[in-house]
Amino acid sequence: MAKSSSKPAESRAQSTLEVRVDEFVAQQKNNTYNYKQVAHAIGAKTATQQRNIALMLVEKAFNGEIIEVSPGKYKSPQRGNEAVGVFVRRSNGKNSVVTESDGETIFVAERKSMHALNGDIVRVNIAAHRRGAETEAEVIEIIEKKEQTFIGTLKVDRHFGYLLTDSKFLATDIFIPKSKLKGGQTGDKAVVRITEWKDDMKNPSGEVVDILGKAGENTAEIHAILAEFGLPYTYPQAVENAANKIDAGITDEVVSQRIDMRDVLTFTIDPHDAKDFDDALSFKALPNGRYEIGVHIADVTHYVRPDSVIDKEAQKRATSVYLVDRVVPMLPEHLCNGICSLRPDEDKLAFSVIFEMDNEARVHDAKIARTVIRSNRRFSYEEAQSVIETGMGDCVEAILKLDSLAKELRRCRYEEGSVDFDRAEVKFDITPDGTPTGVYFKVSKDANKLIEEFMLLANRTVATYIGKPRDRKKPKAFVYRVHDVPDPQRLADLAAIARAFGYKVKASGTPREINRSINKMLAEVKGKGEENYLATLAIRSMAKAIYSTDNVGHYGLGFEYYTHFTSPIRRYPDMMVHRLLERYLAGGRSVNLQKLENQCKHSSEMEQLAANAERSSIKYKQVEYMQSHLGESFSGIISGVTEWGLYVELNDNLCEGLVPMRDLADDFYDFDEKNHCLIGRRHNHRYRLGDNVDIKVARADLEKKQLDFVLLDDKGNALRGEDYMGKKGSPKAVLSQQHHGKKKRRRK
């Protein structure tokens, strides 16, 4: 009796649970949620209830009642039959539109795309949802075309030419009439603009915008990388001419309006090959036993006036771009490497934050002011490190004390919740013609960290001064460097995976508690097999830092107020901060918030493009370097797991390549996104993010910037698809049988 009566009770409980889930979903409007958030909201605490909620959400998404915006995360559809969004074109034909209303990604077949290009703003008609089928849309209007060009290699025939594109956003070549080739020849690397793409044309027509040089030549390929991301690779002559007319102009009148610190010991510490010196430190022991530490920043905005041709170009670029073999500067060379650069034995204008500190690195007073300085010595990081390690050399007392204070600042920062992410950077030894001959790692040492800590302190002090006024008045509009809280689901996944290895990471609590637990885990995992896996997951759980007028704090640093003030030669937001400081220190009114936010957004976008270009240039040099190592074996770690294969980063040189899924031929592998692994269906073998593997270099494709690896077994033999073909029961044999079986069924 008990057993039979329990079924109606279970059914009622399940029905009640469904009602509560439906009520929760109905209230969410445009919010996203996962099963854990639903369970918490409705008070479902048991594992069975939570599992049932997860299944309910999956079924609702399958039925089209809600949308799965990312794995395990859902939201209610906020759309009618039509929507406006950004078109996303892919060379594999998987085009889509991301709707403005709710960020939903909807598939668009090529025949229904109106040949919209990547980034175009389009209006789409959304087809009625069919149970179990992917939602589809059709472009019915291209509202706004995005200005864009395509990079590739020209092939010129007798009567016409065409561009073989490198783009992942375009599957077709671009037809170019001979009159539009701009002198381009077969084998030239070129920038091309699409001029026409009729509905009945398979290929678009275009015109050459610029010839970059011969494909394969270093400068042509580097310029192609910049052009690919819409970044400038030349500097306008008019802007250079305007800059060349500027004089340093350090007159007695200018000096009289500033704090004169030319008699205080001052020096710079920078990379050995640096030419633009943004920042300098000054040091003076005070009679009260404390120290006056000055952080002096190049006063760029004294020379670059708002809305001048130089300023407009700098604002458009927003950042200098640091590629493998060159720097593409934000400012003309006469300014960034000359007048503004804090070179030794030259009077320079600076914007400074001057601290009074004690031996415990406590700040007793801080003053923000414009100054005149004169650097006594230019140190490379290596030279300053030698002073720290040996206690011998120039400015030894100052450097040793600054190092001691920096270490205390860093200790306190970590104690307060900064996350300790410190990974080596890959650098190349490069010949004058751009050929990479060796790889080395740039490791941050005490001299680097000394500069880092005082720059962080200056940035934090400036942001706090504006963001937290002493008179309790409303803060004025300002540029903050913000870093939002991690995605809760990613943080929960990190905590669960770390727990499986025996480490504890807090998935909830204050930012300080969470970050201290991550730091503890990162310290405990050092030198262990799972170090790369967990460190990579920790980094990926974090949000991206951006510029914004809305101060949400800097989660990664654990700072309530933070900005970028210390690099105006290479970052436009720092110039914005300098101008705002000048205005507010003089008692000026708050600036227009929306205009400032638009500038912040543009700077964030350009920063991301510059980072992408830098990574692309590194990838290009990695592939070029590995061309001379084809067929050689290396050890590495799995740095990425995707549905198309495994990415492996080599231990010796940090070069990264792909092991294609097709070459994992010993089994059928399924992609487990949540646990970052591939799982074999028959043998349950797992390839997981962070695993150590041995590989052989199979292919180095410079045009695609792609390295292909094959895995090696314990005996050093390659595990390739061709080594496993034709055998009875092999994946290929099984697929072949299935394919023939389908053909037979179709014939019936």
Side-chain angles (χ1 to χ4, degrees), residues 44 47 71 99 162 412 463 529 631 650 699 725 743:
T99 61
Y162 48 94
C412 292
L650 306 184
R699 191 167 67 102
M725 295 299 169
K743 289 179 74 174

Side-chain angles (χ1 to χ4, degrees), residues 28 128 168 232 263 301 343 400 430 445 480 500 545 547 561 692:
Q28 294 314 297
K168 61 184 178 183
D263 60 346
T301 55
R343 300 185 299 195
L400 291 179
I430 295 179
K445 294 187 177 181
Y480 295 97
Y547 298 104
Y561 300 95
N692 293 304

Side-chain angles (χ1 to χ4, degrees), residues 688-706:
R688 187 180 60 188
L689 187 72
D691 281 352
N692 293 304
V693 292
D694 293 322
I695 62 91
K696 182 178 287 186
V697 183
R699 191 167 67 102
D701 188 330
L702 261 180
E703 194 170 304
K704 293 182 178 179
K705 304 181 190 71
Q706 182 174 309

Side-chain angles (χ1 to χ4, degrees), residues 370-381:
R370 281 186 143 150
T371 60
V372 184
I373 66 167
R374 187 178 182 88
S375 174
N376 303 98
R377 174 75 150 83
R378 183 253 161 136
F379 287 93
S380 68
Y381 280 119

Side-chain angles (χ1 to χ4, degrees), residues 108-141:
V108 180
E110 179 60 37
R111 68 183 184 280
K112 297 181 178 179
S113 71
M114 287 185 67
H115 295 319
L117 296 178
N118 193 63
D120 287 352
I121 306 298
V122 298
R123 189 184 309 281
V124 296
N125 187 24
I126 302 171
H129 180 78
R130 292 177 295 151
R131 179 182 172 90
E134 183 179 18
T135 304
E136 293 191 30
E138 178 180 7
V139 177
I140 56 176
E141 180 188 0

Side-chain angles (χ1 to χ4, degrees), residues 383-566:
E383 290 171 330
Q385 186 65 30
S386 176
V387 173
I388 292 170
E389 291 176 358
T390 65
M392 298 173 62
D394 294 341
C395 310
V396 62
E397 179 188 354
I399 289 178
L400 291 179
K401 177 49 66 176
L402 288 170
D403 176 57
S404 171
L405 295 173
K407 285 171 177 169
E408 184 60 22
L409 287 170
R410 187 160 59 254
R411 186 195 65 76
C412 292
R413 182 163 60 84
Y414 290 149
E415 182 67 23
E416 292 172 5
S418 281
V419 183
D420 183 14
F421 290 128
D422 189 13
R423 295 198 72 187
E425 294 180 54
V426 62
K427 298 288 183 180
F428 292 89
D429 293 315
I430 295 179
T431 62
D433 68 354
T435 304
T437 57
V439 180
Y440 64 95
F441 303 139
K442 179 184 172 184
V443 180
S444 185
K445 294 187 177 181
D446 287 341
N448 306 79
K449 293 174 181 178
L450 184 163
I451 294 297
E452 178 186 21
E453 289 305 324
F454 281 101
M455 297 307 114
L456 289 173
L457 180 62
N459 287 332
R460 185 182 191 181
T461 301
V462 167
T464 304
Y465 176 81
I466 301 298
K468 193 178 180 181
R470 293 180 183 177
D471 52 13
R472 296 188 178 181
K473 291 182 179 179
K474 183 179 179 181
K476 295 176 180 178
F478 199 59
V479 176
Y480 295 97
R481 180 67 168 177
V482 300
H483 185 227
D484 211 345
V485 297
D487 178 86
Q489 187 60 51
R490 288 189 176 184
L491 201 56
D493 291 344
L494 171 64
I497 293 169
R499 195 181 308 119
F501 285 96
Y503 305 101
K504 186 176 181 181
V505 171
K506 293 181 72 69
S508 61
T510 66
R512 179 179 178 181
E513 291 170 340
I514 293 170
N515 289 357
R516 287 177 70 179
S517 74
I518 292 175
N519 283 343
K520 188 171 184 291
M521 182 269 288
L522 291 172
E524 291 174 346
V525 82
K526 284 281 186 188
K528 297 182 180 176
E530 60 270 19
E531 177 183 357
N532 287 307
Y533 179 36
L534 293 177
T536 302
L537 286 184
I539 292 171
R540 292 181 182 180
S541 71
M542 295 290 160
K544 280 187 171 68
I546 60 170
Y547 298 104
S548 177
T549 57
D550 180 18
N551 182 37
V552 298
H554 198 294
Y555 183 90
L557 290 172
F559 293 168
E560 186 178 358
Y561 300 95
Y562 190 64
T563 190
H564 273 172
F565 161 79
T566 53

Side-chain angles (χ1 to χ4, degrees), residues 152-154 187-190 212-218 220-221 620 703:
T153 305
L154 288 176
D188 283 347
K189 205 82 175 181
L212 302 176
K214 286 295 179 184
E217 291 179 351
N218 184 64
E221 295 295 344
Y620 182 82
E703 194 170 304

